Amino acid sequence: MLADGTVALTAFVPTDAAFRELVRGLTHAHRLPSEQAAFTAVAGLGIDTVENVLLYHVVPGATIDRRAALMADGAELTTALGAPSR
């Protein structure tokens, strides 16, 4: 569905800092890991897990610009993963 390019979508793409925070939370570390350490840790989660994290940040069926997103703070959207997101 997403790969064929026929569905409009919005991607709320996680930043490198978000992945570093994810790894810090998973490892219960007090400090953020380096970018390379975070990359290695995320890659070690497996392709299915990484794909699910990314699909959770994609909303198919609508293109949402920055202004609309800010005005809709707290809105619940259905993600490409099928889960509701806030």
Side-chain angles (χ1 to χ4, degrees), residues 15-41:
T15 63
D16 289 347
F19 281 109
R20 292 175 71 195
E21 286 287 351
L22 170 67
V23 171
R24 180 169 70 168
L26 291 172
T27 61
H28 307 290
H30 295 290
R31 296 174 50 178
L32 285 176
S34 69
E35 191 171 310
Q36 182 61 45
F39 176 83
T40 301

Side-chain angles (χ1 to χ4, degrees), residues 19 22-23 26 40-50 53:
F19 281 109
L22 170 67
V23 171
L26 291 172
T40 301
V42 169
L45 295 173
I47 190 71
D48 291 338
T49 300
V50 174
V53 167

